[in-house]
Amino acid sequence: MYAVGGLLGSMSVRCIAGRFGRKRAMIWNNVVSIVAAVIMFTSRGANSFEMILIARFLFGFTAGLGANIHAIYLGESSPKKIRGMVTLTFATFISIGKLSGQFFGLREILGREDSWNILLCVSTCFSVVQLLTLPFFPEAPRYLLIEKGNTEACKKALQSLWGRGEYKLEMTEMVLEQAAIKGETSKSLLELLRDRSVRWQLITMVVMYGCIQFSGITAISVFSFDIFKEAGIPLDKIRYLTLGVGVSEVLTSITCGLLIESVGRRALLWGGFGAMSAIMILITITLNLKDYSFWIPYSTVGLIFLFVIFYGGGPAGVLPSLTHEIFIQSCRPAAFVFTGILRWLGFAVLGLVFPFLIELLKSFSFVLFACMCLLASFYIFFYLPETKGKTLLEISEEFKNITLCENPPSDDKTLETRL
């Protein structure tokens, strides 16, 4: 039910963000989250599993909607020079959210049978903080100028977020993007899928999100207990190892934020996926050799930590920034709907399939994950253009110039195939 709610929340991004604006949409989203927490908290006293299902659905809806609108707001409010660093905080705080859940889920805190309903309401603390602080923030400047045509409100929002200044260059870039879309309203998902000018952007998102979902990170996050158990780690130590995985993901995401503007998006992506592929192969080997020596299970744990580090410092950190940068204003809400569908469908499918996969294939299920990571690494290395320090229109033009086959300058019309 959480995944179903997340899927529907992601699909409603374009409609809600366009109707209410980015800021108001996030405020109302937090109200829904608080309502879900009330339902969840009272479900135990009411002895109602139906209330649990409703609450989990609403929590999923707020996660799917809120995550996408939050990423859009960050991208539309950040200066070009630090756009990657700002949008990467989205991934950092998702990692902190995971870590918070793992921490409060310890048996010494709330991980007991008599407090499960309180544990499942912990996320509402963040919703309350956001509900209290968001009214003091301005609306996203790009949304105000490009979609609403309100130059004065855009200037005030920029000054509120970035400090005093005229910001003529930044506003000129927004006006150029507004002219490029020729007053076109926000595209629907169907219109986006039919638009040939964003074909390569859509292919990139399918490859990125598909490979992330089947890279093994979701399996490690959700089924880390089973994986450590399979590796032969003592049961009383597993929960602390899981907490350590969460800490390493947070620290790596912060480090990625310091590197993304200097190293660039491409290197972090293809290097991260390539390293994840190699680590998955090594995990497969160590899981099969775990009975040969006492230290091999602990090397498996080390490899899982390394995998999470490369994931947090590569795909997880860069993808929120990339999703925002490769689509212009009129396409962005529908693009987030599309990526949300990919993310939540993949999450639901893997959540259903992985327990059977690890039961059937045991450790060899990680070979499949290694292949998916390698596919993503090759695609990024050969096709994905760098987006660091470029305007959204420049990035859009670079995607239009990607070709698999093109006519050489000679008179004969043979096709030249390029890798």
Side-chain angles (χ1 to χ4, degrees), residues 34 73 103 111 191 412:
I34 292 170
Y73 182 85
F103 175 75
E191 289 170 337
D412 62 321

Side-chain angles (χ1 to χ4, degrees), residues 220 223-235 238 241 282-304 358 362-363 366:
I220 287 174
F223 300 102
S224 55
F225 183 90
D226 301 288
I227 295 168
F228 288 136
K229 183 180 176 183
E230 176 72 16
I233 303 299
L235 294 180
I238 289 178
L241 286 174
L282 292 175
I283 288 175
T284 305
I285 295 171
T286 57
L287 285 175
N288 280 281
L289 299 177
K290 65 180 181 180
D291 296 326
Y292 284 83
S293 180
F294 74 93
W295 57 267
I296 290 180
Y298 295 97
S299 67
T300 304
V301 173
L303 288 169
I304 288 176
I358 201 168
K362 298 293 183 183
S363 58
F366 292 96

Side-chain angles (χ1 to χ4, degrees), residues 97-113:
K98 290 181 188 176
L99 179 60
S100 301
Q102 291 164 346
F103 175 75
F104 286 108
L106 290 175
R107 192 174 294 116
E108 295 86 348
I109 304 175
L110 291 175
R112 302 182 303 275
E113 189 175 352

Side-chain angles (χ1 to χ4, degrees), residues 23 27 30 126-138:
K23 174 183 166 182
I27 289 173
N30 287 299
F126 298 101
S127 298
V128 172
V129 171
Q130 202 174 28
L131 195 61
L132 293 174
T133 55
L134 268 175
F136 299 99
F137 282 74

Side-chain angles (χ1 to χ4, degrees), residues 45 49 55 114 127 246 279 283 287-288 336 342-343 359 375 419:
F49 75 88
D114 60 345
S127 298
I279 291 168
I283 288 175
L287 285 175
N288 280 281
F336 273 89
L342 292 175
R343 185 190 307 120
E359 184 69 29
L375 171 66
L419 258 184

